[in-house]
Structure formats: C-alpha cells, structure tokens
Amino acid sequence: DAQLAEYHELLEAHAPEGAAGGHRLGGYPHLLQSNFIEAQADAQSRGIGLESGELTWEAAAGWRLLLQLVSDYVYMWGTDSGMLYFMIREDDLRRADFSGVVALTAGC
C-alpha cells in the first residue's frame, strides 16, 4: 500500500500544471479518488477482493492504462464526473494480447 501511494504521489508531482482528466489512450490514469487502480485491476483479473491479502506491489505494478473515458452528457461512468478505465498487463500489451483487459469505473 505504501509503495502504491508513493507511486501515485510521484505521478501527481510530475503531472503538467492544470492537466485535465479527459479521454486518454495509454499514459497514466487520472485518478478521481485515492484509489489504486492498478491493484483493483489485478484483483479483478484474479477474482479476488482488495482486502484478500493476496495482492502484491509487484503484481499491481505490471498493469498499465490502455484507455480512459470520461463521463459526458451521453455516457456516465458511475456519476456525472466518473471515469471508465481499461487496464492491461504490460506483458499482454507488448504481445498485443487484449484478452485479459479489465474495465473499471470510478466516480466522485
């Protein structure tokens, strides 16, 4: 948990000033909450809960943002300011294997 928190703090510290959280293809997710999207992706892909004690930093660190979509007036992901994230393991992305992509939502 501490390593994931440090990782997100690093991302926030190096984000461009006033960076918007719009649609993204690749890159880093714009987090709406202090959630650990990489850990959530790993947990969902393995069918375990976040509190299971089976999650590790190494497993969570292997996940990357594939696509991020922001709620708009037509589609709402959770809430009017929600996000839909598609996450993929880095190794799968290198092989162009999209069979293990995980979709997650977050809202404010």
Side-chain angles (χ1 to χ4, degrees):
D1 287 347
Q3 287 177 322
L4 281 172
E6 286 179 35
Y7 167 69
H8 288 156
E9 287 173 16
L10 178 69
L11 291 181
E12 288 177 22
H14 293 284
E17 191 66 32
H23 303 312
R24 292 184 185 173
L25 180 61
Y28 298 99
H30 176 79
L31 300 175
L32 295 178
Q33 303 165 342
S34 59
N35 54 3
F36 300 121
I37 198 81
E38 298 87 352
Q40 290 175 346
D42 187 54
Q44 183 173 322
S45 74
R46 297 194 287 146
I48 61 174
L50 284 174
E51 305 299 324
S52 71
E54 297 178 46
L55 292 174
T56 64
W57 164 248
E58 292 80 16
W63 286 87
R64 300 289 177 263
L65 178 69
L66 179 62
L67 176 66
Q68 170 182 294
L69 299 174
V70 181
S71 289
D72 59 22
Y73 293 108
V74 178
Y75 299 102
M76 290 196 181
W77 315 113
T79 65
D80 60 350
S81 58
M83 296 275 189
L84 173 62
Y85 306 101
F86 291 93
M87 304 293 290
I88 188 168
R89 286 185 184 94
E90 188 172 0
D91 292 341
D92 290 345
L93 183 57
R94 282 191 195 108
R95 292 190 315 272
D97 177 3
F98 300 98
S99 63
V101 169
V102 171
L104 303 166
T105 60
C108 289

